[in-house]
Amino acid sequence: MRHVIALDVGGTGMKAALVRADGELLHQARRATGRERGPQAVVETILGFAAELRGYGEQRFGEPASAAGVAVPGIVDAAQGIAVYSANLGWRDVPLRRLLGDRLGGVPVALGHDVRTGGLAEGRIGAGQGADRFLFVPLGTGIAGAIGIDGGVEEGAHGFAGEIGHVVVRPGGTPCPCGQRGCLERYASAAAVSQAWAGASGDPEADAADCAKAVESGDPRAAAVWQEAVDALADGLVTALTLLDPRTLIIGGGLAEAGETLFTPLRAAVERRVTFQKLPSLVPAALGDTAGCLGAGLLAWDLLENDITDRSEVTT
């Protein structure tokens, strides 16, 4: 059975799958990233994990994987196949595409940015399916974005497209590690809400999920924290839709797990802010934590399809 390897590398764990052409996950596995052992060890763990998946596929489905796709955090040069930098993993300028290709017997390998790769999956087979223009915004430890255009995801001239978390929504506000003050992710990420609610509630262990539950139970302190995050997020999203004019806004990540506790006030806040702009549909992400793997699989299948097209054009 023809299949590809898909790897989604995170700061603490890796999710992997063998994926059929129709998107079916034939086999799934997880592995700790092991970043505490250093960047070289992380790279070796990725290579070893991919090799194990190749062996499993060959034994289980009668042939090795036809290609591989891998999504990684940080700065990624997808065209050159280089993982340029990741603060979480500690690596710089890792030629991951070449290393994986060598370890996997020379099969084609696609390398992608984790959020853009997850956005690719959400756009094609998830919440944005059928939309020619979408913006995928996961609200996690930070906030990033993926700009979807006609079935693909825009990388930008230098690989930085979609970094909505560093749009300044509160000028002169909270310092951000990026060097600016008042960035969106300092107010509307799951980490920011957790920090604000821990302070407001007096419970240092409280997190964003606890804040959402307190909002649902009518706690006015939680409502104030939540509304501050919603307002900041709406400001950032309206800036993005003014620039990008997406047909669909897809919100994912940990904060989106609050469901309508987030989406009802957020839709209202965005609607209050638009003037001439067309209001897009604002929907929750559909694929959960499988988005990265599914997207990596799509990258791999795209490689194979492009290869077939290129060879066909040469023959013609």
Side-chain angles (χ1 to χ4, degrees), residues 73-130:
I75 300 170
V76 178
D77 184 340
Q80 299 300 317
I82 296 172
V84 177
Y85 174 70
S86 170
N88 284 336
L89 298 178
W91 62 32
R92 286 183 181 273
D93 298 322
V94 178
L96 202 51
R97 183 173 66 193
R98 177 179 61 78
L99 294 173
L100 272 167
D102 291 346
R103 185 65 66 94
L104 296 175
V107 301
V109 175
L111 181 67
H113 179 270
D114 56 353
V115 172
R116 287 196 289 268
T117 301
L120 178 68
E122 284 289 352
R124 283 202 202 167
I125 59 178
Q129 192 169 6

Side-chain angles (χ1 to χ4, degrees), residues 273-297:
R273 285 162 171 75
V274 298
T275 53
F276 66 89
Q277 305 95 331
K278 288 290 186 182
L279 194 66
S281 59
L282 199 159
V283 299
L287 302 177
D289 71 353
T290 64
C293 257
L294 289 167

